[in-house]
Amino acid sequence: MDKVIIFDTTLRDGEQAAGASLNAQEKLEIARQLDRLGVDVIEAGFPASSPGDFEAVRLISQEVRRPTICGLSSADRGAVDRTWEAVKEAAHPRIHIFLSASDIHLSYQLKKSRDEILKTSREMVAQAKNYLDDIEFSPMDATRAEPAYIYQILEAVIDAGATTVNIPDTVGYTTPHEFGDLIQSILTNVPNIHKAVLSVHCHNDLGLAVANSLEAIQRGARQVECTINGIGERAGNASLEEIVMALKTRQDSFGLTTGINTTQIYKTSRLVSELFGFPVQPNKAVIGANAFRHQSGIHQDGVLKKPVTYEIMDPKSIGIPSSILVLSKLSGRHAFRERLAELGYTLTEEALNRAFQSFKELADKKKEITDRDIESLIAEELRTITEVYHLDHVEVSCGDHSLPTATVRLVNPEGQSLADAALGTGPVDAVYKAINRIVGIPNKLIEFTVKSVTEGIDAIGEVLVRIESDGVTYTGRGASTDIIVASAKAYMNALNRLLAAKQSQRPSPKSFNFR
Ligand code: KIV
Ligand code: ZN
């Protein structure tokens, strides 16, 4: 097999990144873009972990028809059944069951014997087999488990019907050579391995996730699990764009292909960064802002003469725009819709109307509207879809010799208008205090960042806040040409996510349900 299956887990492992919390609509937007990107499998979530995740996986299963839609499940009968409910309407459903396999996890966390784990693994795969054919199994923490025990588990689950077996380096502990040896030894020591696809899932704790994944591919793995921009639990996962571009650029060395349309990489990266609220570091390989910028005179000279002198990839092959397209207040609805489609957004007619209205309002204040402005507007639109409280009005009075005072009006879920006012150390503090007086949910502000989306005095200001409640972090973002309004929107966005999580009684993303 000379094709590597690209399994994207941005919406599942990526969503386990601290501070990540997407609503179902945002997840659907990303899933649609992953479809355009050409990924083979989308791991859309962990349906049994919360009603919100269940609904998002179900929605994606109904709407995104080309790729396989996978739901993660703990090795528990109830979880397997619930995962099936979430993915059953997909054109190509998959259930991915995981259970720890290392002695460290077995003795300290699960307090179970190897035999018990082996039996449960087999039984849960057999349980899923009652529903569907496409089943993946992961022995968690495989790289710290005894290889002979991993061979035993893999043989048993393949026998029970697993069609993909995935080897997770759960804590990012392994090294390329060691991991490659493990993959090769699995191919030799598991007698029925030819009946399943061998997959890998690497974490980046030592910065080796991509290197480990590529080594595993060299040694025979044919599915790789990865995320856009490398987001994920702790230090993240193997980055999809780096793996795909390594396979493409070094085709001479790997001799393998993927189904990825690489010209969609840049758009996908921007969309994920925008909706997750995680900026991409400038020196990030492939998609960082500096990845194709040449600073030294010698390099600039070379690139002007012949790009190949200092560029091993063509930025166009990643979809990096060569010029910034600008819209203005004269641009019509059609041009706006076209640009949205090019940026990877598909909006319902109603959402498009609202976004176009916001675009026109912005165009009245700002001469040129760039892609970054449009991304910001749409992200704002998607954020408002699942609001619990809506920010209706915000007004501040502040200055050199006055006490910063804010008045805010919110609309609650019952449609009532609630207003309050507060003093603060500054205008943003006053606004947040006034909001807290109305919403009344304890939380601690742990991060507040303002940045301008583009250059110029008329630029949109984007505010990112992180708040903490009961040990869980919630991120909120808001955008406006007025940074006080943007700050209020960002805080409301974080509070709405907190309220939604409390309503769905969502456990901490890290508290998997082991049984
Ligand atoms: O890192 C890990 O072990 C996982 C499993 C659920 C596959 O994410
Ligand atoms: Zn993981």
Side-chain angles (χ1 to χ4, degrees):
M1 211 170 111
D2 63 0
K3 186 187 166 199
V4 177
I5 298 167
I6 301 293
F7 176 113
D8 180 278
T9 183
T10 306
L11 295 174
R12 197 281 295 170
D13 212 313
E15 231 236 342
Q16 279 173 226
S21 50
L22 297 188
N23 62 41
Q25 205 54 39
E26 290 167 330
K27 287 186 185 173
L28 180 59
E29 274 309 311
I30 291 176
R32 286 191 167 127
Q33 180 55 29
L34 292 171
D35 182 10
R36 282 181 216 111
L37 178 65
V39 306
D40 300 288
V41 186
I42 296 177
E43 188 164 55
F46 186 0
S49 70
S50 76
D53 241 31
F54 178 89
E55 280 313 323
V57 175
R58 199 163 66 152
L59 183 66
I60 292 169
S61 299
Q62 288 163 345
E63 298 286 324
V64 183
R65 310 300 291 172
R66 183 198 53 82
T68 296
I69 306 299
C70 174
L72 180 71
S73 175
S74 48
D76 164 72
R77 227 167 263 282
V80 171
D81 295 349
R82 183 110 176 113
T83 308
W84 168 242
E85 284 304 310
V87 297
K88 70 179 182 194
E89 288 176 69
H92 313 284
R94 176 181 294 188
I95 294 181
H96 174 190
I97 301 170
F98 71 95
L99 187 58
S100 287
S102 68
D103 287 339
I104 300 176
H105 282 207
L106 264 57
S107 51
Y108 297 118
Q109 189 174 21
L110 304 190
K111 307 204 186 310
K112 294 244 159 99
S113 69
R114 286 189 183 184
D115 283 348
E116 284 173 289
I117 295 293
L118 188 65
K119 180 167 175 284
T120 308
S121 304
R122 196 187 293 117
E123 282 175 2
M124 290 309 109
V125 170
Q127 164 79 4
K129 208 67 185 177
N130 293 324
Y131 297 125
L132 80 175
D133 265 339
D134 191 345
I135 297 160
E136 175 168 332
F137 183 86
S138 289
M140 193 152 79
D141 203 19
T143 52
R144 292 192 300 167
E146 191 191 303
Y149 181 52
I150 296 292
Y151 308 150
Q152 235 189 320
I153 295 183
L154 298 184
E155 185 179 352
V157 294
I158 295 171
D159 209 36
T163 43
T164 300
V165 285
N166 178 47
I167 308 303
D169 181 27
T170 303
V171 289
Y173 177 74
T174 197
T175 59
H177 191 72
E178 186 183 84
F179 196 49
D181 284 351
L182 175 65
I183 295 304
Q184 204 168 332
S185 76
I186 286 171
L187 289 170
T188 337
N189 290 299
V190 179
N192 53 1
I193 193 72
H194 59 282
K195 293 189 183 160
V197 172
L198 182 55
S199 167
V200 290
H201 174 113
C202 297
H203 278 271
N204 205 30
D205 299 64
L206 295 173
L208 292 171
V210 169
N212 287 337
S213 305
L214 290 173
E215 182 63 25
I217 291 170
Q218 291 274 37
R219 306 277 205 107
R222 284 297 174 266
Q223 174 178 285
V224 62
E225 304 201 351
C226 44
T227 60
I228 302 297
N229 301 340
I231 62 172
E233 184 84 62
R234 305 180 311 280
N237 281 78
S239 126
L240 179 147
E241 56 280 3
E242 291 177 27
I243 290 175
V244 167
M245 288 315 289
L247 292 176
K248 185 178 161 99
T249 310
R250 297 308 312 274
Q251 232 270 340
D252 59 323
S253 162
F254 291 99
L256 296 166
T257 57
T258 69
I260 297 295
N261 174 359
T262 60
T263 62
Q264 292 290 323
I265 285 180
Y266 179 73
K267 275 178 209 160
T268 318
S269 163
R270 292 283 335 130
L271 183 71
V272 167
S273 167
E274 189 64 41
L275 296 186
F276 272 84
F278 296 148
V280 173
Q281 80 205 52
N283 61 324
K284 167 85 171 63
V286 183
I287 36 86
N290 292 349
F292 292 94
R293 274 193 191 152
H294 304 276
Q295 185 75 4
S296 115
I298 295 175
H299 289 208
Q300 287 173 351
D301 175 63
V303 168
L304 287 172
K305 286 178 175 149
K306 190 89 177 160
V308 73
T309 50
Y310 291 95
E311 275 180 1
I312 58 163
M313 296 170 265
D314 180 352
K316 283 202 224 79
S317 70
I318 297 155
I320 297 179
S322 48
S323 64
I324 296 172
L325 225 134
V326 173
L327 297 182
S328 73
K329 69 175 181 186
L330 299 177
S331 308
R333 209 182 134 80
H334 183 68
F336 180 65
R337 188 207 289 265
E338 292 278 290
R339 198 68 209 123
L340 285 186
E342 279 161 19
L343 290 172
Y345 293 102
T346 13
L347 265 57
T348 60
E349 212 46 35
E350 200 189 327
L352 179 75
N353 288 343
R354 279 196 306 266
F356 186 61
Q357 180 64 30
S358 315
F359 163 74
K360 283 288 179 191
E361 282 165 18
L362 180 64
D364 272 339
K365 296 182 191 150
K366 201 172 179 288
K367 233 170 57 204
E368 294 185 332
I369 312 282
T370 67
D371 289 351
R372 300 299 308 277
D373 293 317
I374 295 176
E375 284 172 354
S376 187
L377 279 183
I378 302 303
E380 189 65 34
E381 171 61 34
L382 292 173
R383 282 192 282 270
T384 56
I385 290 176
T386 49
E387 283 181 335
V388 182
Y389 280 87
H390 173 71
L391 177 71
D392 191 35
H393 176 86
V394 54
E395 197 178 315
V396 292
S397 129
C398 60
D400 224 3
H401 298 291
S402 64
L403 283 174
T405 315
T407 312
V408 296
R409 192 170 56 233
L410 309 182
V411 179
N412 75 4
E414 290 74 42
Q416 292 166 309
S417 267
L418 306 166
D420 215 322
L423 297 174
T425 50
V428 174
D429 185 46
V431 169
Y432 287 12
K433 283 191 171 128
I435 291 174
N436 280 335
R437 286 171 66 92
I438 301 173
V439 179
I441 182 146
N443 69 87
K444 191 166 145 216
L445 182 68
I446 52 172
E447 191 181 328
F448 176 88
T449 326
V450 191
K451 76 171 172 45
S452 96
V453 171
T454 51
E455 312 71 47
I457 194 74
D458 56 357
I460 292 184
E462 242 177 25
V463 174
L464 181 143
V465 301
R466 295 196 206 277
I467 60 174
E468 200 180 87
S469 173
D470 292 335
V472 183
T473 307
Y474 301 89
T475 307
R477 307 184 84 210
S480 166
T481 47
D482 180 321
I483 60 162
I484 301 296
V485 176
S487 305
K489 283 180 172 177
Y491 192 53
M492 286 307 305
N493 182 230
L495 282 177
N496 278 326
R497 289 184 194 277
L498 160 57
L499 289 163
K502 294 259 186 255
Q503 275 170 7
S504 72
Q505 289 299 302
R506 182 184 182 145
S508 148
K510 276 161 224 74
S511 60
F512 284 139
N513 183 17
F514 298 103
R515 249 174 280 162

